[in-house]
Amino acid sequence: MVATKKEAIQTTAPGYWPEACEHLTRRDRVMKRLIPRFGTACLESRGDAFVTLARSIVGQQISVKAAQSVWNRFEALPEGMNPAAVLKLKVDDMRAAGLSARKAEYLVDLALHFDSGKIHTGQWHGMDDEAIVAELVAIRGIGRWTAEMFLMFHLLRPDVLPLDDAGLIKGISVNYFSGEPVSRSEAREVAQGWAPWRSVATWYMWRSLEPLPVAY
């Protein structure tokens, strides 16, 4: 859990985590070694769709540590991290916080979609993964990777496999192939043994590389 200067953020952990860890530990030799290293730590939802998507945009193509640093500076700009407040920000201030011009544009467009009611947040919990991905990728700056981060970190979907994620591919390379390069098909084959808890296994792949827990 990360506390901001403005308020403490309440997070929610998936109720399925213990069952998933037991399954993965029993089925996979790497998970049997990795899971105990991180104790009770687990993936957490911040409970705010806009913040989760905004953090995902900020985190695109950079490390967890760098993303957290940029997010901390960006988060300090508005009076509250909500669409209306973000729309009042100056682009120059967003750039000064460490955001690229493109990411600043994406965050503004995301705020516009939320502020105007173009997306249907109230219906997401009843939709399947691919239907949600299709709705999200219609927003500028949100590709499949960002949509999959949303499925994992906001909706806590248990069986997401983000094959476009460099950290996942590297984690599989390091933990299953002694650091040798891994193709998407090889990664998908390894992950078949993780189902139906591929979100959980992906989180442990990230943690095996980064000391900081992944959060969006």
Side-chain angles (χ1 to χ4, degrees):
M1 185 181 300
V2 178
T4 70
K5 294 179 180 179
K6 295 178 176 59
E7 60 181 344
I9 297 175
Q10 298 299 315
T11 59
T12 303
Y16 56 71
W17 203 263
E19 179 185 355
C21 288
E22 181 181 355
H23 175 91
L24 291 168
T25 299
R26 188 173 62 250
R27 293 282 301 274
D28 187 284
R29 59 179 177 79
V30 171
M31 290 297 160
K32 184 176 182 178
R33 170 175 53 83
L34 274 182
I35 289 174
R37 284 172 48 189
F38 301 104
T40 59
C42 66
L43 181 153
E44 293 179 326
S45 170
R46 295 168 183 272
D48 186 294
F50 177 75
V51 169
T52 299
L53 288 169
R55 287 184 69 101
S56 295
I57 288 172
V58 169
Q60 289 173 0
Q61 306 302 316
I62 58 177
S63 70
V64 173
K65 184 177 180 180
Q68 185 64 52
S69 178
V70 174
W71 177 262
N72 288 343
R73 294 194 296 272
F74 172 60
E75 188 183 32
L77 296 177
E79 288 302 313
M81 186 49 64
N82 58 70
V86 169
L87 289 174
K88 294 177 183 177
L89 295 176
K90 296 179 180 179
V91 173
D92 287 347
D93 291 337
M94 297 172 73
R95 294 294 309 279
L99 291 164
S100 66
R102 181 167 293 182
K103 286 185 179 180
E105 292 173 3
Y106 291 166
L107 288 165
V108 169
D109 193 59
L110 175 69
L112 284 169
H113 273 80
F114 271 80
D115 196 57
S116 65
K118 289 182 180 178
I119 52 179
H120 310 97
T121 57
Q123 300 176 22
W124 282 337
H125 283 282
M127 295 165 61
D128 66 33
D129 290 358
E130 288 304 317
I132 296 168
V133 168
E135 180 162 317
L136 290 176
V137 297
I139 301 172
R140 189 179 179 199
I142 295 182
R144 184 172 184 88
W145 177 86
T146 305
E148 288 171 337
M149 294 304 100
F150 184 82
L151 290 175
M152 292 176 67
F153 285 93
H154 181 69
L155 297 177
L156 298 177
R157 296 294 172 93
D159 198 32
V160 179
L161 182 68
L163 286 171
D164 293 326
D165 187 86
L168 170 63
I169 299 300
K170 183 177 180 181
I172 291 174
S173 169
V174 169
N175 289 286
Y176 290 87
F177 293 88
S178 301
E180 292 296 318
V182 176
S183 68
R184 286 169 59 96
S185 61
E186 287 172 326
R188 185 182 290 108
E189 184 176 348
V190 168
Q192 287 178 353
W194 299 343
W197 310 111
R198 289 179 292 182
S199 298
V200 179
T202 295
W203 188 87
Y204 282 107
M205 288 293 97
W206 290 330
R207 287 304 303 275
S208 74
L209 304 175
E210 295 274 2
L212 295 174
V214 180
Y216 291 104

